[in-house]
């Protein structure tokens, strides 16, 4: 079941019982397992969790760049998993992806103007003047001067500027949904805020809906209307940002929150999230996948997979012993 808040209106994106597996040396790696969530039009949903929990796999499966093993990805009423060929290509224009490493995701041998124009060429816009007009417009929108950057190559730019180019390239086809996969993680701390502000501005200007992926809770908090917390391929908790931060219902969320660094050198850093490393998704624990690191785990947690259940009208948690029971 998608969470309650998004049931209120028809969501732009609805992921339904999505499972994505990778074959790994004759075994099955369960990267995303039975995940359901919805993103309303104009909303920013933040997706957080430790590295390796399946965030990028989920993002790529939304765009059908990785075909899911099971489940649906319903975008504006159409199940993308049922589409192929030209029908999928046409829908895909409406969804775009921004990656973590801006420099690596730009072709080093092509000039900025051509890189940003490429999606227009691919979609068959043959009028050169029309292409130039649109490239100029979107470069200006992301804060780059078209006359200064057009003929230059990606290596001549900083990471932050390259991310502006990536954002321009993602926006040129005027998509409705943008999956931002750790868009500031590879950038210097000093320019992260600039890029986050730019994304906010672009969201308003182009009326975007964002699925914003990050392992950094502070970043997600700054941009998200709602937050979905993921652990080892499954959703732990979904809810409005202020509720999830103010009153986390899942023990894993609480541990993630406790691990946010305090900007005070006299406060000792909290030790790493729960004890040890997450188990392997090749061999996830039975029942609740978080139970091996959970301070509240007991017998039932090893036996039964907890469903995502509402705790309030807007917050849901997948836990046999949620913190809201206190
Ligand atoms: P995250 O983005 O949260 O760091 P990923 O979605 O990249 O997580 O990865 C989830 C799990 O799937 C990890 O265990 C990762 O090693 C595995 N994985 C990701 N991509 C592949 C792939 N192409 N082949 C096999 N395993 C993969
Ligand atoms: Mg990732």
């Amino acid at each position: 079941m998608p969470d309650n808040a998004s049931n209120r209106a028809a969501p732009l994106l609805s992921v339904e019982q999505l499972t994505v597996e990778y074959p790994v040396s004759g075994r099955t790696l369960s990267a995303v397992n039975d995940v359901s969530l919805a993103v309303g039009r104009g909303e920013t949903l933040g997706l957080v969790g430790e590295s390796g929990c399946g965030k990028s796999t989920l993002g790529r499966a939304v765009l059908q760049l990785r075909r899911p093993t099971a489940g649906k990805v319903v975008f504006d009423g159409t199940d993308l998993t049922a589409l192929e060929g030209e029908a999928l290509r046409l829908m895909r224009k409406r969804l775009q992806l921004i990656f973590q490493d801006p420099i690596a995701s730009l072709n080093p041998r092509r000039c900025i103007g051509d890189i940003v124009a490429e999606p227009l060429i691919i979609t068959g816009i043959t009028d050169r003047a029309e292409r130039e007009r649109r490239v100029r417009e979107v470069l200006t929108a992301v804060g780059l001067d078209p006359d200064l950057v057009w003929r230059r190559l990606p290596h001549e730019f900083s990471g932050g500027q390259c991310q502006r180019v990536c954002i321009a390239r993602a926006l040129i086809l005027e998509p409705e949904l943008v999956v931002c996969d750790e868009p500031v993680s590879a950038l210097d701390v000093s320019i992260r805020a600039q890029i986050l502000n730019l994304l906010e501005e672009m969201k308003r200007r182009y009326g975007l809906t964002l699925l914003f992926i990050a392992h950094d809770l502070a970043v997600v908090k700054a941009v998200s209307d709602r937050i979905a917390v993921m652990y080892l391929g499954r959703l732990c908790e979904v809810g409005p940002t202020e509720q999830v931060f103010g009153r986390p219902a899942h023990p894993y969320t609480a541990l993630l929150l406790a691990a946010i660094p305090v900007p005070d050198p006299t406060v000792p850093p909290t030790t790493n999230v729960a004890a040890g490393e997450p188990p392997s998704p090749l061999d996830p624990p039975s029942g609740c996948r978080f139970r091996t690191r959970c301070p509240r785990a007991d017998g039932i947690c090893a036996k039964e997979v907890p469903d995502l259940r509402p705790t309030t009208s807007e917050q849901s948690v997948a836990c046999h012993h949620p913190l809201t029971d206190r």
Side-chain angles (χ1 to χ4, degrees):
M1 269 266 298
D3 53 289
N4 310 324
S6 308
N7 283 345
R8 281 196 240 121
L12 177 63
L13 173 74
S14 150
V15 169
E16 298 173 13
Q17 298 180 305
L18 197 77
T19 292
V20 188
E21 294 170 344
Y22 296 109
V24 175
S25 30
R27 299 172 67 192
T28 300
L29 185 147
S30 161
V32 173
N33 186 268
D34 198 19
V35 166
S36 297
L37 52 82
V39 193
R41 210 175 273 276
E43 184 177 54
T44 298
L45 178 72
L47 182 64
V48 285
E50 287 160 287
S51 177
C53 73
K55 304 180 296 297
S56 296
T57 300
L58 179 58
R60 294 177 62 79
V62 165
L63 277 86
Q64 302 298 300
L65 296 172
R66 175 84 202 181
R67 290 290 202 161
T69 314
K72 290 184 183 175
V73 174
V74 180
F75 177 77
D76 197 18
T78 302
D79 179 11
L80 302 183
T81 65
L83 299 184
E84 285 182 20
E86 183 64 6
L88 180 59
R89 207 176 63 82
L90 282 174
M91 283 303 271
R92 255 203 205 129
K93 287 200 296 194
R94 301 169 64 189
L95 300 90
Q96 294 291 324
L97 181 61
I98 296 170
F99 300 94
Q100 171 167 1
D101 187 344
I103 297 172
S105 68
L106 298 175
N107 183 334
R109 281 179 290 276
R110 304 202 62 191
C111 72
I112 301 302
D114 288 352
I115 287 171
V116 177
E118 193 175 24
L120 296 176
I121 295 171
I122 292 170
T123 51
I125 296 178
T126 49
D127 181 346
R128 209 186 168 85
E130 157 80 359
R131 285 205 307 262
E132 180 161 338
R133 186 189 62 73
R134 287 177 64 175
V135 173
R136 285 183 166 276
E137 186 183 296
V138 77
L139 282 174
T140 307
V142 300
L144 296 170
D145 181 340
D147 292 319
L148 292 181
V149 303
W150 195 290
R151 294 274 150 235
R152 292 168 67 188
L153 297 171
H155 76 258
E156 299 177 57
F157 293 93
S158 67
Q161 285 172 314
C162 283
Q163 196 57 296
R164 288 178 191 269
V165 174
C166 292
I167 293 169
R169 180 181 57 180
L171 295 183
I172 194 145
L173 295 177
E174 300 184 3
E176 288 152 73
L177 179 86
V178 180
V179 175
C180 306
D181 191 355
E182 311 247 12
V184 298
S185 304
L187 303 178
D188 286 351
V189 174
S190 58
I191 50 175
R192 283 184 188 175
Q194 288 175 21
I195 296 297
L196 292 177
N197 288 341
L198 174 66
L199 283 168
E200 282 288 308
E201 201 186 313
M202 295 300 101
K203 186 185 158 184
R204 273 196 304 277
R205 177 170 176 156
Y206 291 93
L208 303 172
T209 301
L210 301 182
L211 177 59
F212 190 100
I213 297 173
H215 65 272
D216 182 339
L217 271 161
V219 166
V220 164
K221 185 182 184 188
V223 299
S224 308
D225 300 305
R226 287 189 307 129
I227 288 188
V229 182
M230 217 174 156
Y231 181 82
L232 211 62
R234 292 185 64 92
L235 283 189
C236 298
E237 174 160 12
V238 185
T241 304
E242 65 279 12
Q243 285 188 27
V244 171
F245 272 79
R247 207 158 175 267
H250 200 287
Y252 178 57
T253 314
L255 286 163
L256 279 180
L257 289 173
I260 294 181
V262 181
D264 178 350
T266 61
V267 177
T270 321
T271 43
N272 206 0
V273 174
E277 290 289 307
S280 165
L282 269 172
D283 189 18
S286 64
C288 173
R289 290 188 175 193
F290 185 57
R291 71 174 164 85
T292 53
R293 294 166 81 196
C294 183
R296 296 167 79 89
D298 64 11
I300 187 177
C301 304
K303 286 199 203 84
E304 286 177 28
V305 178
D307 287 329
L308 202 57
R309 288 185 305 258
T311 55
T312 69
S313 64
E314 296 182 305
Q315 198 171 356
S316 300
V317 65
C319 178
H320 294 298
H321 307 294
L323 299 170
T324 41
D325 279 354
R326 283 175 299 196

